[in-house]
Amino acid sequence: MADKHGNSVKDDETYEALRDKGASKEKAARIANSGKSASKAGGKRQRYEDRSKDDLYRRAREIGIEGRSKMSKSELIEALRNH
């Protein structure tokens, strides 16, 4: 299965399941390599709406969202959720 997405993905099964559900390659790889399921982190992190625009911008920069400097807070939230 690694020939489809490269050797850098640790959990092929999780990666493929996420891709089948429509997740981007980057998001599927990030979750598959995290070593825990996405649901385990649920509820422990601060909601995007509760973060400052600067915090959202920094997170968008970390994961490489294009056009982030011209986005409003709500656009940053949408981009982060859909990345």
Side-chain angles (χ1 to χ4, degrees), residues 1 5 9 14-15 18-19 22-24 26 28 36-37 41 43 45-46 51-52 59 62 64 66 68 76 78-79 83:
M1 218 183 279
H5 49 73
V9 174
T14 300
Y15 176 86
L18 290 164
R19 289 292 290 143
S24 69
E26 294 85 6
K36 58 186 172 190
S37 70
R45 295 200 175 109
Q46 188 178 24
R51 295 181 185 184
S52 71
R59 181 64 184 139
E62 286 173 9
E66 300 281 328
R68 63 188 173 269
L76 284 166
E78 184 178 344
H83 184 275

Side-chain angles (χ1 to χ4, degrees), residues 11-52:
D11 185 346
D12 293 324
E13 221 173 278
T14 300
Y15 176 86
E16 293 299 331
L18 290 164
R19 289 292 290 143
D20 289 344
K21 290 180 181 176
S24 69
K25 290 178 183 179
E26 294 85 6
K27 183 174 184 176
R30 196 168 51 249
I31 293 169
N33 289 337
S34 72
K36 58 186 172 190
S37 70
S39 64
K40 287 184 182 177
K44 294 181 183 177
R45 295 200 175 109
Q46 188 178 24
R47 292 173 3 126
Y48 284 138
E49 290 81 5
D50 296 337
R51 295 181 185 184
S52 71

Side-chain angles (χ1 to χ4, degrees), residues 50-64:
D50 296 337
R51 295 181 185 184
S52 71
K53 183 178 177 186
D54 287 339
D55 288 339
L56 297 170
Y57 177 83
R58 277 192 288 277
R59 181 64 184 139
R61 185 179 59 213
E62 286 173 9
I63 60 177

